């Protein structure tokens, strides 16, 4: 069995979700969101993400992680806070020696729904179904993080075949 941590990085909200992969079966473990207040200095917000992510890792002991890639269409300035949060996420995962892969939103949607241009609601509903949950995981960032974990699990055979 492999325990995978999915992460949807963001400065205001970093979603996380933990899924166990056991053969062809995925089992839900936990999910949540790390939130930081807009009024805090950026360094304090990044430290909070680091500390909370450390606590999640210490609680759930994942061996692998799938992280949603940064996507921005128009405004590079709005992507900067997300990039800062991503840096902290990667630093924290590296400190714990967690094997980490990154997936663009389209690849995550493809893994979950079978279509890279799927609507957010479709992805959320299929995350619910794939993990046998009674309700769609909330908030959205946590659902996205669970989708990243499922995507990471789905890409595992390819990673293993291409490992040098």
């Amino acid at each position: 069995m492999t325990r995978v941590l999915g992460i949807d990085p963001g400065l205001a909200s970093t979603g996380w979700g933990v899924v166990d992969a056991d053969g062809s079966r995925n089992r839900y473990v936990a999910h949540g969101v790390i939130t930081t207040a807009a009024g805090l200095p950026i360094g304090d917000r990044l430290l909070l993400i680091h500390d909370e992510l450390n606590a999640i890792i210490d609680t759930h002991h994942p061996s692998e992680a799938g992280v949603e890639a940064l996507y921005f269409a128009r405004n590079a300035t709005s992507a900067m806070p997300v990039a800062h949060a991503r840096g902290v996420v990667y630093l924290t995962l590296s400190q714990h020696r967690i094997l980490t892969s990154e997936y663009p939103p389209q690849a995550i949607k493809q893994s979950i729904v079978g279509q890279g241009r799927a609507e957010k609601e479709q992805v959320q509903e299929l995350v619910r179904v794939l993990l046998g949950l009674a309700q769609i995981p909330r908030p959205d960032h946590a659902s996205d993080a669970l989708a990243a974990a499922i995507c990471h699990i789905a890409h595992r055979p390819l990673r293993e075949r291409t490992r040098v």
Side-chain angles (χ1 to χ4, degrees):
M1 181 184 69
T2 302
R3 181 157 285 180
V4 177
L5 173 63
I7 301 178
D8 177 22
L11 185 60
S13 295
T14 292
W16 62 272
V18 180
V19 176
D20 283 343
D22 191 6
S24 62
R25 230 182 86 141
N26 296 335
R27 187 177 65 80
Y28 168 83
V29 177
H31 74 276
V33 174
I34 301 166
T35 57
T36 67
L40 288 175
I42 191 165
D44 292 344
R45 293 174 82 179
L46 296 172
L47 181 59
L48 179 61
I49 292 168
H50 176 71
D51 290 347
E52 291 289 323
L53 190 53
N54 269 318
I56 292 161
I57 291 167
D58 289 344
T59 298
H60 296 289
H61 307 286
S63 59
E64 298 182 16
V67 178
E68 184 170 328
L70 179 61
Y71 173 79
F72 60 96
R74 294 185 200 127
N75 189 349
T77 303
S78 65
M80 291 305 292
V82 177
H84 293 319
R86 286 171 44 77
V88 167
V89 165
Y90 276 98
L91 170 68
T92 307
L93 293 169
S94 281
Q95 287 175 328
H96 289 272
R97 303 290 187 252
I98 295 172
L99 174 69
T100 304
S101 296
E102 179 176 273
Y103 304 96
Q106 296 80 4
I108 294 172
K109 291 176 180 180
Q110 178 74 36
S111 291
I112 304 297
V113 180
Q115 217 282 0
R117 294 184 185 264
E119 296 295 323
K120 187 174 212 52
E121 295 77 21
Q122 289 176 290
V123 176
Q124 292 172 336
E125 176 59 18
L126 277 168
V127 164
R128 181 193 73 74
V129 169
L130 291 169
L131 296 177
L133 303 174
Q135 300 197 1
I136 291 173
R138 298 282 184 218
D140 291 355
H141 293 293
S143 182
D144 292 346
L146 287 167
I150 295 168
C151 176
H152 181 81
I153 293 165
H155 282 85
R156 187 171 212 207
L158 177 62
R159 281 193 313 277
E160 289 174 356
R161 282 196 312 266
T162 59
R163 198 173 287 150
V164 177

